[in-house]
Amino acid sequence: MSTRTRGYKILGLAVLIYCLVMLGIPALLVRGCGSDQVRVEENSGQMVRVQLAPGRIVTMPLETYLIGVVAAEMPAEFDIEALKAQAVAARTYTLLRINGKASDRKHPDASLCTDPGHCQAWLSLGDLRKRWGLLAFGSNYEKVASAVRATAGEVLVYHDELIDPVYHASCGGRGTEDAKEVWGQDIPYLKRVPCRWDPPEKQGVVATSFSMKDFFNRLGIAGKAVPASNTGGLVQVLDRTGSGRVRRVEIASQVFRGVELRKILGLRSTDFTVRTTGDRVTFYTRGYGHAVGMCQYGAQGLALRGQSYRQILEYYYRGATVKKLTKAGD
Ligand SMILES: [Zn+2]
Ligand SMILES: [Zn+2]
């Protein structure tokens, strides 16, 4: 190799190093100087792992996930303030589970699932197109998304801790229920409050009827002699909760809790009366759901009466307040 060739090689190497340095340093600078910004973006762009079906887990941005939750959990025709209240409740519920403060033994690899009986309902864009139809999809989606955007980063706290903001469809106009009556645990922000704003059709009774045989089979007391429908009847309500719902009943000498009976029979609520006629037992229920926390139809009623989402939330979750989460480093 001649001296001249070696010179070119060294020059080439120098140019290469120069180029690398010139390209590399700005990249490092951008990364270095921008690290705070990146962290803030990651914080506001929080991701959530959701189990769509056993073995099928997806990761998506929290705020995108919340649109699918609000759309699944509340009719899009509801007032924007009711939708905002739902968005804040759903965000709080989700963050509590991302932070691992609530049990998720059913799906240890995901913070939440889409089973409304376990976590909260969620619908994909495809599901929502089917539910709303192509014509209404655009405006409905935008309305729900605007409720999520308008409350971005807002959560419900009690003494600076995220609350567990459970909610139900309709209290039937009876008012909400104490958490203690349903889950046996006293939760200061889940106390019963009056609610008179459910629409009349939600305050009416719904009949659910069983044949005697089916009724006793479900209760696991098949074969028991059916008592003659004498005084008190087949199902005797032993006592009621403070809100007036059924706390305990006696059926063929066995005592059941109201919430237990609701689960066994698939009743809409524990706010019921019972009638026995011939071979049938009929339950007349009012409202829909466990009745604890925010009443969704009540929230809609309050929104229509001019209440803001904050007023609605702070009404149903007594002592809790809406707070905007601060970003890391604030
Ligand atoms: Zn779940
Ligand atoms: Zn209500």
Side-chain angles (χ1 to χ4, degrees):
M1 197 185 280
S2 71
T3 318
R4 203 169 169 180
T5 316
R6 194 179 295 144
Y8 281 133
K9 282 215 159 183
I10 290 167
L11 183 66
L13 198 63
V15 169
L16 183 69
I17 289 169
Y18 178 75
C19 288
L20 282 175
V21 166
M22 289 311 282
L23 288 171
I25 286 177
L28 281 172
L29 279 175
V30 167
R31 236 187 126 103
C33 301
S35 66
D36 274 341
Q37 204 179 346
V38 169
R39 199 175 45 170
V40 170
E41 275 169 15
E42 276 169 1
N43 189 46
S44 56
Q46 173 132 35
M47 305 297 280
V48 56
R49 280 169 72 74
V50 183
Q51 178 180 286
L52 304 184
R56 202 167 150 235
I57 294 172
V58 291
T59 303
M60 63 183 109
L62 169 66
E63 300 295 311
T64 308
Y65 163 71
L66 291 177
I67 298 171
V69 174
V70 175
E73 292 280 0
M74 195 175 252
E77 309 82 65
F78 271 23
D79 187 273
I80 190 72
E81 293 302 312
L83 291 169
K84 283 193 218 166
Q86 184 70 53
V88 174
R91 184 179 295 105
T92 310
Y93 186 96
T94 305
L95 285 172
L96 193 69
R97 277 147 188 87
I98 290 177
N99 296 345
K101 283 187 184 154
S103 74
D104 58 331
R105 265 168 280 154
K106 260 192 172 174
H107 37 75
D109 297 327
S111 299
L112 301 109
C113 67
T114 54
D115 172 7
H118 187 245
C119 290
Q120 23 181 31
W122 175 84
L123 292 172
S124 67
L125 287 178
D127 298 331
L128 291 173
R129 262 184 220 107
K130 264 183 242 160
R131 170 178 282 200
W132 290 330
L134 278 177
L135 267 173
F137 173 79
S139 58
N140 279 353
Y141 190 84
E142 185 40 41
K143 187 178 175 190
V144 173
S146 73
V148 173
R149 273 199 309 269
T151 60
E154 292 185 1
V155 290
L156 278 157
V157 294
Y158 182 84
H159 289 313
D160 250 12
E161 296 263 341
L162 291 176
I163 72 162
D164 199 3
V166 293
Y167 45 85
H168 60 279
S170 168
C171 74
R174 188 178 278 287
T176 67
E177 186 60 282
D178 272 10
K180 196 175 183 353
E181 296 286 2
V182 179
W183 299 299
Q185 202 187 340
D186 193 45
I187 301 172
Y189 54 81
L190 295 177
K191 297 283 187 193
R192 77 185 150 93
V193 295
C195 179
R196 292 177 293 274
W197 310 285
D198 298 56
E201 68 273 19
K202 295 287 166 194
Q203 299 201 29
V205 292
V206 175
T208 312
S209 188
F210 304 90
S211 72
M212 281 299 176
K213 192 175 170 225
D214 184 22
F215 180 67
F216 281 107
N217 276 339
R218 283 170 188 251
L219 294 179
I221 47 178
K224 287 245 175 185
V226 178
S229 25
N230 49 18
T231 51
L234 173 64
V235 180
Q236 289 189 50
V237 175
L238 296 178
D239 52 357
R240 290 182 177 268
T241 69
S243 72
R245 293 179 174 85
V246 174
R247 185 186 279 140
R248 290 183 314 149
V249 294
E250 190 180 317
I251 304 165
S253 315
Q254 279 204 38
V255 176
F256 294 87
R257 290 179 62 224
V259 286
E260 185 187 3
L261 195 66
R262 176 182 174 228
K263 203 172 168 189
I264 295 171
L265 299 177
L267 300 175
R268 291 166 66 89
S269 74
T270 56
D271 189 2
F272 60 75
T273 54
V274 197
R275 207 159 68 196
T276 312
T277 42
D279 182 44
R280 298 201 75 79
V281 189
T282 307
F283 288 77
Y284 299 90
T285 56
R286 256 178 87 187
Y288 194 21
H290 51 57
V292 183
M294 183 172 71
C295 167
Q296 290 174 307
Y297 275 90
Q300 162 70 349
L302 281 172
L304 292 176
R305 286 161 179 79
Q307 299 280 295
S308 73
Y309 71 98
R310 281 172 183 263
Q311 289 172 312
I312 294 168
L313 290 167
E314 290 169 9
Y315 179 76
Y316 288 109
Y317 304 107
R318 288 290 162 95
T321 48
V322 175
K323 188 183 161 186
K324 191 153 182 125
L325 283 178
T326 51
K327 293 175 177 116
D330 278 6

